[in-house]
Amino acid sequence: MIAVVHHPDYVAEAPARSTYRWNKNGLIRDLLLAEGAAIDWHEPLPMSARWIEEAHDPAYVAEVLECRVPAAKIRRIGFPVTRAVAARAAVVPGGTYLAAQLALERGYAANTAGGSHHALADTGAGFCVFNDLAIAALRLVGEGTLNRVAIVDCDVHQGDGSAALTAGHPGIATYSIHAEKNFPARKARSTLDVPLPDATRDVAYLETLERTLAPFLDTHRPELILYQAGVDPFMDDRLGRLALSLEGLTARERLVARLAIDRGIPLASTVGGGYGDDALAIAKRHVGAILTLGRCFADARALRLGVTA
Ligand SMILES: [Zn+2]
């Protein structure tokens, strides 16, 4: 069974004039529900303001939770912060944190939202309000659950917020493989950045991912990977540029899982980016990532226990 974290508040009602695909998380839930007994569901609590403030300025946290985010920040985020959006922003980091705890017990768990890697200390950006990856990492280390966490980001956009919010933290290392000529225009500095040219395609992408991620994990020896599994490197994605095929995306999840499993590192995945007019097709790609990762960890566990799956 694959441990999956979901909360009804993830499926926020779309604010007026929003171009963001708000039904993506509901479709992901529905597709996973169709998997029946293969999925073991868990509901997170909202992250408390105290832990959100480990990553974000208290003034910005209050602006979001009290639904009074200034217009300039709303423009950077890309949608208005309504009551529903604020509730969602607080519960998604709780989900990534719960997925991390479940992964520590079982090897792998998925959050059906999250990967909000562009959110910065004093503002959201690029459809991200609070940075669930940074918040979960800072909490896991801050409360003493773990000594070392890695944020591994395979979204087509750089994980600039995660890098900025955890920069200099001795227990947190960040890895980002992304299209160089893409949002954000001004990149942050991750522990390891792997910028790629447009139209890199499957073979070169997978070769580069393995050649850079394996030594990154060996150097930083994380006790947990928080994985941003954005599917926007896909060839037909509206914001993607790396021209990966569906098979390439699946091979990416298998590779990330193998690198983690070979080193005995648990992994919690978040959804990340995926853009276009066909929300169902996008949700299928996200669910494909969750199921592939889940099966890789289940197979490895069965092998270890001497059980034939
Ligand atoms: Zn993205």
Side-chain angles (χ1 to χ4, degrees):
M1 286 210 293
I2 303 174
V4 168
V5 176
H6 182 79
H7 193 285
D9 286 354
Y10 287 2
V11 191
E13 197 184 315
R17 302 183 311 281
S18 170
T19 56
Y20 185 79
R21 295 277 154 191
W22 286 90
N23 53 349
K24 180 165 105 170
N25 300 96
L27 292 169
I28 291 171
R29 172 203 58 202
D30 294 346
L31 290 168
L32 287 170
L33 277 171
E35 296 291 319
I39 307 297
D40 174 27
W41 295 89
H42 299 263
E43 191 168 305
L45 296 169
M47 187 62 78
S48 66
R50 179 242 181 281
W51 286 112
I52 298 173
E53 289 171 2
E54 286 286 305
H56 296 282
D57 291 351
Y60 172 60
V61 176
E63 286 169 0
V64 171
L65 298 180
E66 294 163 21
C67 304
R68 49 176 182 82
V69 178
K73 295 185 186 181
I74 294 289
R75 277 195 296 277
R76 283 192 75 172
I77 292 169
F79 47 75
V81 178
T82 58
R83 208 157 275 290
V85 171
R88 184 181 189 279
V91 83
V92 170
T96 298
Y97 174 71
L98 178 56
Q101 289 178 310
L102 291 164
L104 290 174
E105 287 169 22
R106 301 163 184 226
Y108 173 70
N111 191 3
T112 59
S116 303
H117 59 170
H118 298 307
L120 300 163
D122 63 350
T123 182
F127 306 131
C128 302
V129 181
F130 291 146
N131 192 317
D132 57 297
L133 297 161
I135 293 166
L138 288 163
R139 179 169 177 183
L140 289 160
V141 177
E143 69 189 5
T145 302
L146 296 171
N147 294 311
R148 293 180 310 280
V149 175
I151 298 173
V152 172
D153 192 327
C154 289
D155 193 279
V156 81
H157 305 98
Q158 194 210 23
D160 58 333
S162 311
L165 295 176
T166 63
H169 195 297
I172 303 172
T174 51
Y175 170 97
S176 178
I177 185 167
H178 51 265
E180 184 171 19
K181 289 185 200 143
N182 212 338
F183 180 92
R186 226 177 63 201
K187 308 279 190 288
R189 186 183 293 183
S190 311
T191 310
L192 181 60
D193 281 301
V194 184
L196 297 173
D198 286 3
T200 290
R201 295 174 174 274
D202 294 355
V203 173
Y205 180 90
L206 294 166
E207 187 274 324
T208 308
L209 176 61
E210 178 155 21
R211 184 168 44 77
T212 53
L213 183 55
F216 170 84
L217 296 174
D218 291 335
T219 301
H220 298 286
R221 294 182 300 111
E223 297 157 306
L224 173 79
I225 292 170
L226 294 175
Y227 179 40
Q228 211 277 21
V231 295
D232 46 12
F234 180 60
M235 52 174 65
D236 290 341
D237 192 278
R238 187 159 53 84
L239 304 180
R241 287 164 173 264
L242 295 177
L244 296 199
S245 69
L246 270 185
E247 295 74 26
L249 278 180
T250 305
R252 181 189 77 175
E253 310 318 345
R254 286 209 195 95
L255 173 56
V256 169
R258 175 165 62 76
L259 295 176
I261 290 164
D262 285 353
R263 291 161 178 78
I265 308 169
L267 183 145
S269 69
T270 60
V271 163
Y275 305 96
D277 290 330
D278 188 346
L280 183 59
I282 296 161
K284 280 182 180 165
R285 293 198 275 276
H286 288 298
V287 168
I290 292 170
L291 295 178
T292 302
L293 290 163
R295 284 176 193 139
C296 287
F297 275 85
D299 288 351
R301 189 184 170 89
L303 208 65
R304 212 171 48 246
L305 299 174
V307 185
T308 29

